[in-house]
Amino acid sequence: MRLAELADHLHAHLTPLGPDLNPEVTGVTHNADWVQSGSAFVAIRGARFDGHSFIGKVAAAGAVAVIGEGLPDGVTSPLPYLRVPGARAALADAAAALAGHPSRALRVVGVTGTDGKTTTSWLARHLLRAAGLRTGLLSTVGYELPDGELRHFPAHFTTPEAPQVQATLADMVRSGADAAVLEASSHALALERVRSVAWDVAVWTHLSSEHLDFHGTLENYFADKRRLVEAAPFAVLNVDDPWTAQLRGVAPAETTYSAEGQHADWRAGNIEERSTGLHFHVVSPLGEFDAHLPMIGRFNVANALAAMAAAAHLGAGREALAAGLASFRGVPGRMELVPDARGRRVVVDFAHTPPSLEKALGTLRTTTAGRLIVVLGSAGGPRDPGKRAPLGEVATRLADHAVFTEEDCRDTPLADILREMERGAREAGHTNFQSIPDRRAAIRAAIALAQPGDTVLLAGKGPEDTLERAHEALPWNETQEAVNALALS
């Protein structure tokens, strides 16, 4: 695409400088280290750096243009400059245009909410495939093309930016996909990473306090997540969530679901938690049917209803939905069972907020014959430090024994994080805990305590592949750590 055409697409004012006034643009990025020959560089003004300070670097690397909200005083550009109202919006719009707007060739489901996004996304992908649609997936666990192979972004793309989102969608189209399911996190929505995605369905799971270091208030957090519902022609809404009342009528069309007995278009009854998974009866616009989902956790009934409602809107029939649920193999790091020949149950789960930890422990308690042991930490940095004490309280109230440890402490002293979790436990009158700073040692100590019939929950890391400390990010696989610990004990 020529620069002048891109400028028209972005409704940008183009300042033509340099010998080539209308170069070919082959890519776009906001990271100076990712610039390649032919790239347009988006200069974003951040809290710590102004992208305009890298203009010389990107010009030397082969960039052909700079996109920004205006050159700062005293700064000049040797490259043509496109002035836009919003740099992040321009990054997303340029990425979509350069990729050929791939989402327009797909039927796209977006899933947002505090908890349940990943499981609901994986379920929706699985159900659409069961209905015969070649479906891709983009989630926090990784991404899949229609071939079903789970892939991971390189470490520097752990949180995909708009160019990676659009490139992945384009890969799906080239691979013959009919549909795509995307997790839409609050950060992705607020920072325009999924702008210019042509949504067909928006799924709302629920809202609870999370990421307030970024959003500031719960109301701001809700407003950012609401953007997905505003952008889609059809919404799937959870009437069990109090925030849903503010989403009714936002999308041109909608359907509702409930796993807690409220009136809704999709609802579940006669829910049973068995050793083989969840069994329940579904009442839906497609009719009534019995469903079996081979997953742990009553809360996954709500995720299943949401996924079924989304898949049904895209054409999945009742038989495909029932068969798809029954054949679902689960999500890596989401209530993932780690086999043990001695009869101890070890579960790896991403639960990292007080509500999600409470759900996970409550679920495991009902199916644990012996003791329930939990290993958990809390993220460092400024990320919602107010949840650390509540995590300690929930862990020691619902488990027989808790081991507090690290979980991406980053630049926050780990001792401070552990002290807050211990305070939450002590103020609730609980003493059934210990702190082991090293996560590997904590996991091995917890599993060594377990006897046949006990359950050990490894909470917080789930499928994440790094463990972040102050000055390093270590390769990490929580499931493999559990396997290794079981072998030692």
Side-chain angles (χ1 to χ4, degrees):
M1 178 180 291
R2 291 290 176 180
L3 182 61
E5 183 182 355
L6 180 61
D8 287 342
H9 182 83
L10 299 178
H11 304 291
H13 174 74
L14 173 60
T15 302
L17 301 171
D20 186 351
L21 303 185
N22 193 26
E24 184 76 17
V25 182
T26 58
V28 63
T29 181
H30 70 303
N31 190 313
D33 293 331
W34 302 346
V35 167
Q36 298 178 353
S37 180
S39 295
F41 174 68
V42 181
I44 295 175
R45 290 172 175 154
R48 299 176 59 190
F49 302 104
D50 186 337
H52 290 89
S53 64
F54 299 103
I55 289 178
K57 177 178 179 178
V58 302
V64 295
V66 177
I67 302 171
E69 297 170 12
L71 287 166
D73 291 342
V75 176
T76 60
S77 173
L79 302 171
Y81 190 90
L82 281 69
R83 190 174 71 247
V84 295
R88 280 202 165 273
L91 175 65
D93 292 346
L98 291 168
H101 294 283
S103 62
R104 296 177 183 176
L106 300 166
R107 306 170 80 177
V108 185
V109 177
V111 183
T112 197
T114 304
D115 297 312
K117 291 188 300 298
T118 298
T119 299
T120 301
S121 297
W122 280 63
L123 275 164
R125 177 269 287 157
H126 185 74
L127 294 177
L128 288 169
R129 288 180 181 173
L133 292 176
R134 290 174 54 81
T135 305
L137 172 73
L138 178 57
S139 81
T140 56
V141 177
Y143 70 97
E144 288 185 356
L145 302 181
D147 61 13
E149 179 184 348
L150 180 63
R151 299 166 173 85
H152 296 280
F153 287 105
H156 55 288
F157 290 159
T158 300
T159 302
E161 288 281 355
Q164 289 75 54
V165 171
Q166 295 296 333
T168 302
L169 290 170
D171 283 346
M172 292 179 188
V173 172
R174 285 191 290 270
S175 299
D178 305 304
V181 181
L182 278 68
E183 280 190 54
S185 70
S186 59
H187 286 73
L189 290 161
L191 297 175
E192 308 283 16
R193 292 170 181 161
V194 290
R195 177 185 167 96
S196 289
V197 173
W199 306 105
D200 291 280
V201 182
V203 177
W204 179 272
T205 61
H206 82 107
L207 192 83
S208 64
S209 180
E210 176 76 316
H211 300 308
L212 299 190
D213 60 299
F214 176 79
H215 299 281
T217 67
L218 193 58
E219 289 72 22
N220 290 343
Y221 179 43
F222 168 76
D224 284 325
K225 284 190 171 292
R226 174 188 164 115
R227 294 170 69 171
L228 178 66
V229 180
E230 294 171 339
F234 185 80
V236 177
L237 304 176
N238 179 11
V239 297
D240 299 330
D241 177 28
W243 290 89
T244 292
Q246 299 182 51
L247 298 172
R248 301 299 300 270
V250 170
E254 65 187 35
T255 193
T256 57
Y257 67 97
S258 171
E260 297 178 6
Q262 297 198 62
H263 178 73
D265 300 314
W266 292 78
R267 56 190 186 274
N270 302 326
I271 301 172
E272 297 181 17
E273 296 181 77
R274 304 178 189 172
S275 59
T276 55
L278 298 163
H279 296 255
F280 53 98
H281 185 72
V282 178
V283 178
S284 79
L286 301 181
E288 299 187 23
F289 58 97
D290 290 324
H292 166 56
L293 177 63
M295 293 188 73
I296 299 172
R298 187 183 181 94
F299 52 85
N300 279 315
V301 173
N303 297 330
L305 290 171
M308 285 191 289
H313 182 69
L314 297 186
R318 184 173 64 182
E319 292 76 14
L321 296 178
L325 283 188
S327 62
F328 187 60
R329 293 185 177 181
V331 183
R334 261 67 175 184
M335 282 295 187
E336 181 182 2
L337 289 169
V338 182
D340 175 49
R342 288 184 51 196
R344 299 162 295 180
R345 182 169 65 167
V346 177
V347 178
V348 175
D349 191 66
F350 192 53
H352 61 287
T353 65
S356 62
L357 181 65
E358 185 153 5
K359 286 182 180 179
L361 289 172
T363 294
L364 294 173
R365 171 64 73 188
T366 62
T367 53
T368 297
R371 294 180 304 164
L372 180 56
I373 302 166
V374 61
V375 176
L376 76 157
S378 185
R383 298 192 180 187
D384 205 8
K387 72 180 181 182
R388 293 169 189 160
L391 279 169
E393 185 278 326
V394 170
T396 50
R397 170 166 49 88
L398 296 179
D400 296 295
H401 187 73
V403 181
F404 300 145
T405 189
E406 61 182 322
E407 181 200 312
D408 300 332
C409 55
R410 303 184 181 90
D411 56 355
T412 300
L414 179 55
D416 293 350
I417 296 174
L418 297 178
R419 190 179 303 114
E420 276 297 288
M421 297 178 72
E422 292 169 356
R423 180 178 65 82
R426 287 197 180 97
E427 289 182 353
H430 304 149
T431 60
N432 54 324
F433 65 87
Q434 65 185 117
S435 291
I436 301 177
D438 182 88
R439 190 172 184 95
R440 177 172 292 134
I443 290 171
R444 293 182 177 184
I447 289 177
L449 285 174
Q451 299 296 319
D454 292 349
T455 296
V456 179
L457 171 64
L458 308 182
K461 291 299 293 176
E464 294 180 343
D465 58 6
T466 59
L467 180 63
E468 297 181 25
R469 292 174 175 166
H471 304 294
E472 60 182 348
L474 301 177
W476 191 257
N477 184 315
E478 190 95 331
T479 302
Q480 188 60 50
E481 292 295 332
V483 171
N484 295 342
L486 286 166
L488 292 172
S489 60

